[in-house]
Amino acid sequence: MRQQEVLPDLPYDYNALEPVISAEIMRLHHQKHHQAYVTGFNKAMEQLNSTSDPQTIVALQSAINFNGGGNNNAPQTSPFFLDIISFIWNLSLRLEIQC
């Protein structure tokens, strides 16, 4: 049986993206939304590992794909996410200075 997935730590503090994204929103998204993908994936994999019924296996594929994809593609853990937010933040500062 494979080891269960765990919610990865963020590579930055929840407040690192303020004021573009509040710490409260980042905490909610990470601890609730992203955690739901991890939990859903683990539940589907547990069910998959406990069955040999072909219909059940096929039925579990959508839950595995959806939750596994949501976990692996979560934007706040993407290496590009901070780069994009930094760009937006710097652009907003430049626009603010010009106004």
Side-chain angles (χ1 to χ4, degrees):
M1 187 165 160
R2 69 189 304 266
Q3 188 173 4
Q4 289 204 336
E5 293 293 315
V6 295
L7 183 67
D9 291 333
L10 292 181
Y12 47 86
D13 293 332
Y14 289 122
N15 65 354
L17 304 177
E18 288 184 337
V20 177
I21 301 175
S22 71
E24 180 182 5
I25 293 297
M26 286 304 300
R27 188 175 291 106
L28 173 72
H29 191 269
H30 183 245
Q31 293 178 351
K32 301 292 183 184
H33 183 74
H34 191 165
Q35 181 63 57
Y37 286 127
V38 173
T39 301
F41 180 77
N42 286 334
K43 179 180 176 186
M45 291 302 294
E46 191 175 295
Q47 292 171 342
L48 180 66
N49 289 330
S50 68
T51 189
S52 59
D53 176 49
Q55 288 180 321
T56 303
I57 292 169
V58 169
L60 288 169
Q61 290 302 307
S62 62
I64 292 167
N65 290 338
F66 176 78
N67 291 297
N71 179 37
N72 289 329
N73 298 321
Q76 74 271 10
T77 57
S78 165
F80 303 107
F81 185 70
L82 270 179
D83 291 340
I84 293 167
I85 293 298
S86 294
F87 173 78
I88 293 169
W89 172 244
N90 288 327
L91 181 61
S92 70
L93 285 178
R94 282 186 292 215
L95 292 174
E96 193 174 290
I97 291 170
Q98 290 178 4
C99 292

